[in-house]
Amino acid sequence: MPVGGYVPVFTWFGGEGNRGAFEASDEAPEPDRRAARRWAGLTFVALTLGLLALGWWYLAPRGPLVSEGPKPAAVRQAAGARSEVAPGLRLMRVAITIPSPPSDTRLAAVLRRFSALLVDAMARFDDLVTIKAPLPGAALADEVDYVIEIDAQGLDSGAVGLARLRSVRDGRIVWTTSSSRSSLATLQESDLAEMARRLATRLAEPFGIIPADARQSLPSPAIRCILKAFDARRAMVPEMRLAARLCLSQLVEQDPGFYPAWAHLAIMTLGEYGAAPAAQAAVPQDDADMPRPPLDRALAAALTALRLAPSSARAYQALMKVMLLRGVTDEAIQMGSEAQTRNPYDPEILADVGAMYVRLDRSLEGLPLLERAISLSVARPTRYDFYAFLGTYLVGAGKPSDNYAAMLAADSSPLSLLGQALDAAADADPERRARALARLAEKSPLFAQDPRAFLQRRGFAGPVIDRVLTALELNKP
């Protein structure tokens, strides 16, 4: 294991009374299925970390991760213990407060529990926000950027819950919402958890309310780069991707311990691989003066992110995407599952895992995830709709496919144009198909040169590629 490796921590989850009874018993209880699953999970994590250590040992000694970014010294520093984040390299800091706790003890307890659930849900978006939960009545720290103020008022036998988002920098009320319950007696823990999940997703997902407001203000350099990366993935414009990648490279050079930049840098580097002309597919690997191939640099960046933050959902998402394009599908699926476990509320993760299944010709597994991502993200990227369209197209679902195709019609990104061409082919409209393909060839030189390579570089399985190219009358022997 490298310096700064994983250290296991064991915590007893039962109460003291239960623990004493357990220790006093003459016979150990028979392990149940949950215990077996827990040990299986621990085994998987241990194996994963061992593979990561080996992968880092194999990849790290060979030159810089990005030709324009961190110098070898920075890479060596990243292989050690995580450093303190440099001034200015910080995420958006959000405080969740209860300004006026209700006098009704039952209602106050419900509000405290909801606050705890909201803290847990929002903290999972750990590459965008740092969550703070000050004690009731405590003054806010000076460095807080946004405050989520929650309140509840009794109404007959029920209650009305209120929440508002305030910008600390200028005092603006950015967003408000309310919810009512007719009876507190019927309010279950699952109800509170679902409300907290919806609120956390609405606020903190990459295209949610807090990131949208930050795009209009003056966020920290770190957040500016991360939002550039999300926007580059949305638009699929090479210039935007290059700008985001260079910005992220500067972050990891400034502070090699800033793990969100490594995760996003891995994803941006994959975009470089997907857009490169076919002639550049093979870059010499034995020449120290030549840049390392994009897939190697992306893998090294993803491994760095995961080593620095073993609990980060975004790091697992990045490693999933790298493994998929490297053709290691079983490991990619495992990494996707880990990403979902760590943040089941992020539409970006749900959409990427769903898209992976569609590309692997397993659309029935991917479509529910894509549909959930679409329902959670109001300002979603059109690639969500493209993969949902492709999934329904591959399984032969007519009406849902038409609904997603309508969302693609107003967009001109490469995937949307590919979806438009497939939709036109399904409608037996050769003129519309030819227009969409011509625009796609203009947008993507790789597609113009080799449509099969265009799809292979994006991780599509052979059967899916054959079906798409046959429908577009591009399936050359």
Short mmCIF file of all heavy atoms in Angstrom, two decimals, residues 87-123:
data_model
loop_
_atom_site.label_atom_id
_atom_site.label_comp_id
_atom_site.label_asym_id
_atom_site.label_seq_id
_atom_site.Cartn_x
_atom_site.Cartn_y
_atom_site.Cartn_z
N PRO A 87 -4.98 27.80 -0.22
CA PRO A 87 -5.95 28.89 -0.17
C PRO A 87 -6.61 29.10 -1.53
O PRO A 87 -5.93 29.15 -2.54
CB PRO A 87 -5.10 30.10 0.24
CG PRO A 87 -3.93 29.50 0.96
CD PRO A 87 -3.65 28.20 0.28
N GLY A 88 -7.92 29.23 -1.52
CA GLY A 88 -8.65 29.42 -2.76
C GLY A 88 -9.15 28.13 -3.36
O GLY A 88 -10.12 28.14 -4.10
N LEU A 89 -8.53 26.98 -3.04
CA LEU A 89 -9.00 25.69 -3.54
C LEU A 89 -10.01 25.13 -2.54
O LEU A 89 -9.68 24.32 -1.69
CB LEU A 89 -7.83 24.73 -3.72
CG LEU A 89 -6.90 24.98 -4.89
CD1 LEU A 89 -6.02 23.78 -5.14
CD2 LEU A 89 -7.66 25.35 -6.14
N ARG A 90 -11.20 25.57 -2.65
CA ARG A 90 -12.23 25.11 -1.73
C ARG A 90 -13.53 24.94 -2.49
O ARG A 90 -13.75 25.54 -3.55
CB ARG A 90 -12.43 26.11 -0.59
CG ARG A 90 -12.92 27.48 -1.02
CD ARG A 90 -13.15 28.38 0.19
NE ARG A 90 -13.67 29.69 -0.17
CZ ARG A 90 -14.96 29.96 -0.39
NH1 ARG A 90 -15.84 28.98 -0.31
NH2 ARG A 90 -15.36 31.17 -0.70
N LEU A 91 -14.39 24.10 -1.95
CA LEU A 91 -15.70 23.87 -2.53
C LEU A 91 -16.69 24.89 -1.96
O LEU A 91 -16.35 25.69 -1.10
CB LEU A 91 -16.15 22.44 -2.23
CG LEU A 91 -15.18 21.35 -2.69
CD1 LEU A 91 -15.68 19.98 -2.23
CD2 LEU A 91 -15.00 21.38 -4.19
N MET A 92 -17.92 24.85 -2.46
CA MET A 92 -18.95 25.73 -1.92
C MET A 92 -19.33 25.24 -0.52
O MET A 92 -19.62 24.05 -0.33
CB MET A 92 -20.17 25.73 -2.84
CG MET A 92 -19.92 26.41 -4.16
SD MET A 92 -21.37 26.37 -5.26
CE MET A 92 -21.40 24.65 -5.73
N ARG A 93 -19.32 26.13 0.43
CA ARG A 93 -19.61 25.78 1.81
C ARG A 93 -21.04 26.16 2.14
O ARG A 93 -21.43 27.33 2.03
CB ARG A 93 -18.61 26.46 2.75
CG ARG A 93 -17.22 25.84 2.61
CD ARG A 93 -16.16 26.62 3.31
NE ARG A 93 -15.89 27.90 2.65
CZ ARG A 93 -14.77 28.58 2.80
NH1 ARG A 93 -13.81 28.12 3.59
NH2 ARG A 93 -14.59 29.72 2.18
N VAL A 94 -21.80 25.16 2.53
CA VAL A 94 -23.24 25.31 2.75
C VAL A 94 -23.56 24.92 4.18
O VAL A 94 -23.20 23.82 4.63
CB VAL A 94 -24.05 24.45 1.77
CG1 VAL A 94 -25.54 24.62 2.00
CG2 VAL A 94 -23.68 24.79 0.32
N ALA A 95 -24.20 25.80 4.91
CA ALA A 95 -24.63 25.52 6.28
C ALA A 95 -26.12 25.20 6.29
O ALA A 95 -26.91 25.84 5.58
CB ALA A 95 -24.35 26.72 7.18
N ILE A 96 -26.51 24.20 7.06
CA ILE A 96 -27.92 23.81 7.23
C ILE A 96 -28.30 24.15 8.66
O ILE A 96 -27.72 23.61 9.61
CB ILE A 96 -28.11 22.32 6.93
CG1 ILE A 96 -27.71 22.01 5.48
CG2 ILE A 96 -29.55 21.90 7.19
CD1 ILE A 96 -27.75 20.54 5.12
N THR A 97 -29.24 25.05 8.82
CA THR A 97 -29.56 25.56 10.16
C THR A 97 -31.06 25.49 10.43
O THR A 97 -31.88 25.41 9.50
CB THR A 97 -29.11 27.03 10.31
OG1 THR A 97 -29.90 27.86 9.44
CG2 THR A 97 -27.64 27.19 9.95
N ILE A 98 -31.40 25.53 11.71
CA ILE A 98 -32.79 25.67 12.17
C ILE A 98 -32.82 26.96 12.97
O ILE A 98 -32.55 26.97 14.18
CB ILE A 98 -33.21 24.47 13.04
CG1 ILE A 98 -32.99 23.15 12.29
CG2 ILE A 98 -34.67 24.60 13.47
CD1 ILE A 98 -33.27 21.91 13.13
N PRO A 99 -33.13 28.09 12.35
CA PRO A 99 -33.05 29.38 13.05
C PRO A 99 -33.96 29.48 14.26
O PRO A 99 -33.58 30.04 15.28
CB PRO A 99 -33.46 30.39 11.97
CG PRO A 99 -33.27 29.68 10.67
CD PRO A 99 -33.54 28.25 10.95
N SER A 100 -35.18 28.92 14.16
CA SER A 100 -36.14 29.04 15.26
C SER A 100 -36.75 27.68 15.55
O SER A 100 -37.78 27.30 14.97
CB SER A 100 -37.25 30.04 14.90
OG SER A 100 -36.70 31.30 14.57
N PRO A 101 -36.14 26.88 16.43
CA PRO A 101 -36.69 25.56 16.74
C PRO A 101 -38.11 25.67 17.28
O PRO A 101 -38.41 26.55 18.10
CB PRO A 101 -35.73 25.02 17.81
CG PRO A 101 -34.46 25.80 17.61
CD PRO A 101 -34.89 27.15 17.14
N PRO A 102 -39.04 24.82 16.83
CA PRO A 102 -40.43 24.90 17.31
C PRO A 102 -40.52 24.61 18.81
O PRO A 102 -39.71 23.86 19.37
CB PRO A 102 -41.14 23.80 16.49
CG PRO A 102 -40.23 23.53 15.34
CD PRO A 102 -38.85 23.79 15.81
N SER A 103 -41.50 25.22 19.45
CA SER A 103 -41.72 24.96 20.87
C SER A 103 -42.35 23.59 21.10
O SER A 103 -42.17 22.99 22.18
CB SER A 103 -42.63 26.05 21.47
OG SER A 103 -43.86 26.12 20.76
N ASP A 104 -43.07 23.09 20.13
CA ASP A 104 -43.66 21.74 20.21
C ASP A 104 -42.51 20.73 20.16
O ASP A 104 -41.78 20.64 19.17
CB ASP A 104 -44.61 21.53 19.04
CG ASP A 104 -45.35 20.20 19.12
OD1 ASP A 104 -44.75 19.22 19.58
OD2 ASP A 104 -46.52 20.14 18.68
N THR A 105 -42.34 19.96 21.24
CA THR A 105 -41.19 19.05 21.32
C THR A 105 -41.24 17.98 20.23
O THR A 105 -40.19 17.60 19.68
CB THR A 105 -41.15 18.37 22.69
OG1 THR A 105 -42.41 17.70 22.93
CG2 THR A 105 -40.92 19.39 23.79
N ARG A 106 -42.44 17.50 19.90
CA ARG A 106 -42.53 16.47 18.87
C ARG A 106 -42.15 17.04 17.51
O ARG A 106 -41.40 16.42 16.75
CB ARG A 106 -43.96 15.90 18.83
CG ARG A 106 -44.13 14.76 17.83
CD ARG A 106 -45.51 14.17 17.88
NE ARG A 106 -46.53 15.18 17.62
CZ ARG A 106 -47.81 14.89 17.33
NH1 ARG A 106 -48.20 13.63 17.31
NH2 ARG A 106 -48.68 15.84 17.10
N LEU A 107 -42.64 18.24 17.22
CA LEU A 107 -42.32 18.87 15.95
C LEU A 107 -40.83 19.23 15.89
O LEU A 107 -40.19 19.09 14.84
CB LEU A 107 -43.18 20.13 15.77
CG LEU A 107 -43.15 20.80 14.40
CD1 LEU A 107 -43.55 19.82 13.32
CD2 LEU A 107 -44.07 22.01 14.39
N ALA A 108 -40.27 19.67 17.01
CA ALA A 108 -38.84 19.99 17.04
C ALA A 108 -38.00 18.75 16.78
O ALA A 108 -36.98 18.81 16.08
CB ALA A 108 -38.48 20.62 18.39
N ALA A 109 -38.42 17.60 17.32
CA ALA A 109 -37.68 16.37 17.10
C ALA A 109 -37.73 15.96 15.63
O ALA A 109 -36.72 15.51 15.06
CB ALA A 109 -38.24 15.26 17.98
N VAL A 110 -38.89 16.12 15.01
CA VAL A 110 -39.02 15.81 13.58
C VAL A 110 -38.11 16.71 12.75
O VAL A 110 -37.43 16.26 11.82
CB VAL A 110 -40.49 15.96 13.13
CG1 VAL A 110 -40.59 15.90 11.60
CG2 VAL A 110 -41.35 14.87 13.75
N LEU A 111 -38.07 17.98 13.11
CA LEU A 111 -37.25 18.93 12.35
C LEU A 111 -35.76 18.61 12.51
O LEU A 111 -34.99 18.70 11.55
CB LEU A 111 -37.55 20.35 12.82
CG LEU A 111 -37.10 21.49 11.88
CD1 LEU A 111 -37.72 21.33 10.51
CD2 LEU A 111 -37.47 22.84 12.48
N ARG A 112 -35.35 18.25 13.73
CA ARG A 112 -33.94 17.87 13.93
C ARG A 112 -33.59 16.63 13.12
O ARG A 112 -32.50 16.54 12.54
CB ARG A 112 -33.67 17.63 15.42
CG ARG A 112 -33.61 18.90 16.25
CD ARG A 112 -33.00 18.61 17.61
NE ARG A 112 -33.74 17.60 18.36
CZ ARG A 112 -34.76 17.85 19.17
NH1 ARG A 112 -35.17 19.11 19.34
NH2 ARG A 112 -35.38 16.87 19.81
N ARG A 113 -34.49 15.66 13.08
CA ARG A 113 -34.22 14.45 12.32
C ARG A 113 -34.14 14.75 10.83
O ARG A 113 -33.26 14.23 10.12
CB ARG A 113 -35.31 13.40 12.59
CG ARG A 113 -35.10 12.09 11.87
CD ARG A 113 -33.78 11.47 12.22
NE ARG A 113 -33.52 10.24 11.48
CZ ARG A 113 -32.32 9.78 11.21
NH1 ARG A 113 -31.24 10.43 11.62
NH2 ARG A 113 -32.17 8.66 10.55
N PHE A 114 -35.05 15.58 10.34
CA PHE A 114 -35.01 15.97 8.93
C PHE A 114 -33.70 16.69 8.60
O PHE A 114 -33.09 16.45 7.56
CB PHE A 114 -36.20 16.86 8.59
CG PHE A 114 -36.19 17.34 7.17
CD1 PHE A 114 -36.58 16.52 6.13
CD2 PHE A 114 -35.77 18.64 6.87
CE1 PHE A 114 -36.55 16.96 4.82
CE2 PHE A 114 -35.75 19.09 5.57
CZ PHE A 114 -36.14 18.25 4.53
N SER A 115 -33.27 17.56 9.51
CA SER A 115 -32.02 18.28 9.30
C SER A 115 -30.85 17.30 9.20
O SER A 115 -29.97 17.45 8.33
CB SER A 115 -31.78 19.27 10.44
OG SER A 115 -30.52 19.88 10.32
N ALA A 116 -30.83 16.29 10.06
CA ALA A 116 -29.74 15.31 10.02
C ALA A 116 -29.76 14.52 8.72
O ALA A 116 -28.71 14.26 8.11
CB ALA A 116 -29.86 14.36 11.22
N LEU A 117 -30.95 14.15 8.26
CA LEU A 117 -31.05 13.42 6.99
C LEU A 117 -30.62 14.29 5.81
O LEU A 117 -29.99 13.81 4.86
CB LEU A 117 -32.49 12.93 6.79
CG LEU A 117 -32.95 11.83 7.74
CD1 LEU A 117 -34.46 11.63 7.62
CD2 LEU A 117 -32.23 10.51 7.45
N LEU A 118 -30.96 15.58 5.87
CA LEU A 118 -30.57 16.49 4.80
C LEU A 118 -29.06 16.68 4.77
O LEU A 118 -28.45 16.72 3.69
CB LEU A 118 -31.28 17.84 4.99
CG LEU A 118 -31.02 18.90 3.92
CD1 LEU A 118 -31.46 18.41 2.55
CD2 LEU A 118 -31.72 20.21 4.28
N VAL A 119 -28.44 16.79 5.94
CA VAL A 119 -26.99 16.90 6.01
C VAL A 119 -26.34 15.68 5.36
O VAL A 119 -25.41 15.79 4.55
CB VAL A 119 -26.52 17.05 7.47
CG1 VAL A 119 -25.01 16.84 7.58
CG2 VAL A 119 -26.91 18.42 8.01
N ASP A 120 -26.84 14.50 5.71
CA ASP A 120 -26.27 13.27 5.16
C ASP A 120 -26.42 13.22 3.64
O ASP A 120 -25.48 12.85 2.92
CB ASP A 120 -26.96 12.05 5.78
CG ASP A 120 -26.52 10.75 5.15
OD1 ASP A 120 -25.39 10.31 5.42
OD2 ASP A 120 -27.30 10.17 4.37
N ALA A 121 -27.60 13.58 3.12
CA ALA A 121 -27.83 13.50 1.69
C ALA A 121 -26.98 14.50 0.92
O ALA A 121 -26.39 14.18 -0.12
CB ALA A 121 -29.32 13.72 1.39
N MET A 122 -26.89 15.74 1.42
CA MET A 122 -26.14 16.76 0.69
C MET A 122 -24.63 16.51 0.77
O MET A 122 -23.90 16.84 -0.17
CB MET A 122 -26.48 18.14 1.23
CG MET A 122 -27.89 18.59 0.90
SD MET A 122 -28.13 20.35 1.11
CE MET A 122 -27.07 21.03 -0.16
N ALA A 123 -24.17 15.94 1.88
CA ALA A 123 -22.74 15.69 2.03
C ALA A 123 -22.23 14.69 1.01
O ALA A 123 -21.02 14.61 0.76
CB ALA A 123 -22.44 15.21 3.45
#
